[in-house]
Amino acid sequence: MEKAKIAIVGFGHVSREALAAVLESPDMEVAGVVLRNPVKVAEVQKEAGEIPVVTDVKELGEVDVAILGIASRAVPEVAKKYLEQGINTVDSFDIHGEAIMKMRRDLDREAKAHNAVAVISAGWDPGTDSIIRTVMEAIAPKGLTYTNFGPGMSMGHTVAVKAVEGVEDAVSMTIPEGTGLHKRLVYVKLKDGYEFEKVAEAIKQDPYFVHDETHVYCVEDVESLIDVGHGVHMERKGVSGITHNQRMEFIMSVTNPAATAQVMVSAARASLRQKPGCYTLPEIPPIDYIYGEREALLRRLV
Amino acid sequence: MEKAKIAIVGFGHVSREALAAVLESPDMEVAGVVLRNPVKVAEVQKEAGEIPVVTDVKELGEVDVAILGIASRAVPEVAKKYLEQGINTVDSFDIHGEAIMKMRRDLDREAKAHNAVAVISAGWDPGTDSIIRTVMEAIAPKGLTYTNFGPGMSMGHTVAVKAVEGVEDAVSMTIPEGTGLHKRLVYVKLKDGYEFEKVAEAIKQDPYFVHDETHVYCVEDVESLIDVGHGVHMERKGVSGITHNQRMEFIMSVTNPAATAQVMVSAARASLRQKPGCYTLPEIPPIDYIYGEREALLRRLV
């Protein structure tokens, strides 16, 4: 069996976990790590050992899939560059709604033009949760699904808080209140000379927080609060045919970067089994994510 | 929009619910009901009102998909007859393991030969549970998944009990014990002249029961015990990359025939979106089960 050659782009939390997950995958090998910032190459090379760390994927020779462990807003441009070279891409772009749809259209064009596959928003939400929401509607087409996140750190909200003037360090926790509503608990360490009340008010007015009940706390040390555990509880109550009160739940409690990275690695495998184009996770046959011979897998999973 | 023309084969619990679910589907219309037993046509026609009830699908004109609400053991032969006429089939064949794989190979050949699609084992287990088990492994490839059924009536076990000598009527309940183990509680009404202890022993020795803790009770009336509610609780604890203790659960509590029938109707829709061949549910992109314009669905579900 020829192993798929995987490049890891970036070297943050998710990329490190993706590297580990690729090394655990019998059908994959790591081609190397690609950094966009040349200043960091030497430092990352020390940690990566024998795995090459480069600034241009071309230095890695043949690459089948690039796993983009980078910030969501950088994904559209970076993915395009890889697709242009005929390399499949996987990202965990997490800006819900129209932004995903626009990227799907753009990357679909790019992927088809260069005979490649882009799998987008391949984390757990958007991602595997999107598949679960879809399956729940296949069982009960009418009704309501509530997605309750947490308790856990929200990366997007944390980044938003850190951008507020006067904040030296911060973490934003998502606390589920049920029926898809959430509280935000924000812990901030202030820069010298800033007044807590004013910073707290600025955070509450930020678009990321303005629609949710938000509580801001002043702390001396943010690092000691960090736990990357996260979770979700999805609930649907709906109608199958004309029969009401059909109930379904999906509950998950995971170490967040490891779960995100593993879903990306599973999506990298699936990318090699799709026709050229751009796909969100519910558009891919679930069995394509799994390592193994098709019939043996189905005998076990169906 | 041209509506898909659906034939319902059989008129038991699941077929009746399938008929209701098709009538609720904006993209489908009922072509008619097909019975294999001509003796029942007049009786079913009364209940079906203006919907034609026939013994040969050819009498219904153009049909796109046949939903086979029939016993599992009849499925391989009946599905073949429809596929030969270029009609897609959907069944809820529920004999796990090698039997599904054999049918998949046989119907795949038949479907491809006649430019049709067979979606097999399209209930909730096997069926949507198979999708959930697959998604759980995409998130955490190593580890164990336990599928816990019930409490609820098991159709297969009930049929097995009714075939035991001396049983006039019976129902078999599946009681989950956790970690994939189940108790069987069997309620039987005896035929005149039979001894309860002997009948109970024969049930416990039946291949359907011999591996499980089975309790048999003698009752005067089985009908008054019937509740077609059922459920499942799937649990996985596994490893994402090199990170352990990743936990997932799926819980469902449903009226069983309605859920099975709705999944079959959703699978009928998906059958029209696949290339010729035979598919189990994890082999189909989940979004294909859902009614609606692709991009609008993804905007809501991803």
Side-chain angles (χ1 to χ4, degrees):
Chain A
M1 182 188 65
E2 182 130 11
K3 293 187 176 193
K5 292 168 187 64
I6 313 291
I8 309 287
V9 180
F11 208 65
H13 289 307
V14 170
S15 287
R16 277 162 217 248
E17 297 292 342
L19 179 58
V22 170
L23 292 171
E24 292 291 311
S25 301
D27 53 343
M28 297 182 183
E29 61 186 36
V30 180
V33 174
V34 186
L35 299 181
R36 287 170 299 159
N37 183 352
V39 173
K40 292 194 177 162
V41 168
E43 184 193 333
V44 170
Q45 185 64 74
K46 258 187 227 163
E47 196 178 329
E50 291 184 2
I51 293 164
V53 180
V54 300
T55 54
D56 187 337
V57 69
K58 288 191 182 72
E59 299 171 58
L60 299 177
E62 194 193 329
V63 167
D64 299 306
V65 190
I67 293 180
L68 310 180
I70 60 178
S72 283
R73 62 185 175 285
V75 165
E77 199 192 314
V78 174
K80 195 165 170 285
K81 275 202 281 192
Y82 284 86
L83 294 169
E84 279 170 0
Q85 300 174 60
I87 297 171
N88 290 0
T89 61
V90 175
D91 64 69
S92 58
F93 186 84
D94 69 350
I95 306 164
H96 278 267
E98 191 50 37
I100 295 178
M101 290 305 112
K102 184 185 178 327
M103 191 166 88
R104 181 172 167 274
R105 286 190 295 268
D106 291 347
L107 296 188
D108 192 57
R109 207 180 311 114
E110 211 63 48
K112 283 173 176 160
H114 299 95
N115 203 28
V117 170
V119 182
I120 65 170
S121 299
W124 56 269
D125 203 314
T128 45
D129 281 2
S130 318
I131 302 176
I132 304 292
R133 282 190 283 270
T134 305
V135 172
M136 286 176 166
E137 293 204 7
I139 300 168
K142 295 176 196 168
L144 284 165
T145 301
Y146 295 118
T147 301
N148 305 295
F149 295 109
M153 280 172 59
S154 164
M155 302 308 290
H157 288 77
T158 296
V159 169
V161 175
K162 285 181 177 173
V164 170
E165 200 190 333
V167 173
E168 187 175 311
D169 198 1
V171 60
S172 176
M173 299 294 294
T174 303
I175 312 295
E177 294 207 90
T179 59
L181 301 172
H182 300 88
K183 270 192 265 222
R184 309 288 172 185
L185 268 57
V186 181
Y187 300 85
V188 293
K189 183 183 177 187
L190 290 180
K191 282 182 182 159
D192 284 344
Y194 283 88
E195 204 180 311
F196 174 67
E197 292 305 329
K198 282 189 183 161
V199 172
E201 198 48 40
I203 291 168
K204 290 179 186 180
Q205 295 308 318
D206 187 278
Y208 264 85
F209 295 93
V210 73
H211 299 295
D212 296 331
E213 181 185 328
T214 301
H215 302 267
V216 186
Y217 302 94
C218 190
V219 297
E220 289 304 305
D221 177 36
V222 170
E223 269 306 306
S224 64
L225 307 178
I226 302 300
D227 160 23
V228 294
H230 213 317
V232 71
H233 182 182
M234 286 188 279
E235 299 176 274
R236 183 169 183 82
K237 184 164 76 63
V239 185
S240 308
I242 52 171
T243 301
H244 293 242
N245 203 35
Q246 306 283 77
R247 303 191 74 126
M248 287 148 264
E249 293 175 68
F250 182 78
I251 301 165
M252 191 168 81
S253 171
V254 290
T255 301
N256 190 356
T260 302
Q262 181 65 64
V263 173
M264 294 177 86
V265 171
S266 298
R269 176 179 298 115
S271 80
L272 296 166
R273 298 169 172 174
Q274 309 309 305
K275 288 188 296 187
C278 179
Y279 300 80
T280 57
L281 297 203
E283 297 175 89
I284 293 174
I287 202 71
D288 287 355
Y289 298 113
I290 312 293
Y291 164 68
E293 189 269 320
R294 174 68 60 110
E295 204 172 293
L297 287 178
L298 293 176
R299 194 175 288 116
R300 185 165 63 73
L301 290 166
V302 171
Chain B
M1 182 189 64
E2 180 133 11
K3 292 188 178 191
K5 292 167 187 67
I6 312 292
I8 309 288
V9 180
F11 209 64
H13 287 307
V14 171
S15 287
R16 277 161 217 248
E17 297 292 342
L19 178 60
V22 170
L23 292 170
E24 293 291 311
S25 301
D27 53 342
M28 297 182 183
E29 61 187 35
V30 180
V33 174
V34 186
L35 299 182
R36 288 170 299 158
N37 184 353
V39 172
K40 292 194 176 162
V41 169
E43 183 194 333
V44 170
Q45 185 64 75
K46 257 186 227 163
E47 197 178 329
E50 291 183 4
I51 293 164
V53 180
V54 300
T55 54
D56 187 337
V57 70
K58 288 191 181 72
E59 300 171 57
L60 299 177
E62 193 192 328
V63 168
D64 299 305
V65 190
I67 294 180
L68 309 180
I70 60 178
S72 284
R73 61 185 177 286
V75 165
E77 199 192 313
V78 173
K80 195 164 169 285
K81 276 201 281 191
Y82 285 85
L83 294 170
E84 280 171 359
Q85 300 175 60
I87 297 171
N88 291 0
T89 61
V90 175
D91 64 68
S92 59
F93 186 83
D94 69 351
I95 306 166
H96 278 268
E98 191 50 38
I100 295 177
M101 291 305 112
K102 184 186 177 327
M103 191 166 89
R104 180 172 168 273
R105 286 190 295 268
D106 291 347
L107 296 188
D108 193 57
R109 208 180 310 115
E110 211 64 49
K112 283 174 176 160
H114 299 94
N115 203 28
V117 169
V119 182
I120 64 170
S121 300
W124 57 268
D125 202 315
T128 45
D129 281 2
S130 318
I131 302 176
I132 305 293
R133 282 190 284 270
T134 305
V135 172
M136 286 178 166
E137 293 204 8
I139 300 167
K142 294 175 195 170
L144 284 166
T145 301
Y146 295 118
T147 301
N148 306 294
F149 295 108
M153 277 173 61
S154 164
M155 302 308 291
H157 288 76
T158 296
V159 169
V161 175
K162 285 182 177 172
V164 170
E165 201 191 332
V167 173
E168 186 174 311
D169 200 1
V171 60
S172 177
M173 299 294 295
T174 303
I175 312 297
E177 293 207 271
T179 60
L181 301 173
H182 300 87
K183 270 191 266 224
R184 309 288 171 182
L185 268 56
V186 181
Y187 300 85
V188 293
K189 184 182 176 186
L190 291 180
K191 281 182 183 159
D192 285 344
Y194 282 87
E195 205 181 310
F196 174 67
E197 291 306 330
K198 283 189 182 159
V199 171
E201 197 49 40
I203 291 168
K204 289 179 186 180
Q205 294 309 318
D206 187 279
Y208 263 86
F209 295 92
V210 73
H211 300 295
D212 294 332
E213 182 185 327
T214 301
H215 301 267
V216 185
Y217 302 95
C218 190
V219 298
E220 288 305 302
D221 176 38
V222 170
E223 269 306 306
S224 64
L225 306 178
I226 302 300
D227 161 24
V228 296
H230 212 318
V232 71
H233 182 182
M234 284 188 280
E235 298 176 275
R236 183 171 182 81
K237 184 165 77 63
V239 185
S240 307
I242 52 171
T243 301
H244 292 241
N245 203 35
Q246 305 284 78
R247 304 190 73 126
M248 287 148 263
E249 293 173 69
F250 182 79
I251 301 166
M252 191 168 82
S253 171
V254 289
T255 301
N256 191 356
T260 301
Q262 181 65 66
V263 173
M264 292 177 86
V265 170
S266 298
R269 176 178 298 114
S271 80
L272 297 166
R273 297 167 172 175
Q274 309 309 304
K275 288 187 297 187
C278 179
Y279 301 79
T280 58
L281 297 202
E283 297 175 88
I284 293 174
I287 202 71
D288 288 354
Y289 298 112
I290 312 293
Y291 165 68
E293 190 270 318
R294 174 69 59 109
E295 204 172 293
L297 287 178
L298 293 175
R299 193 176 289 115
R300 184 164 63 74
L301 290 166
V302 171

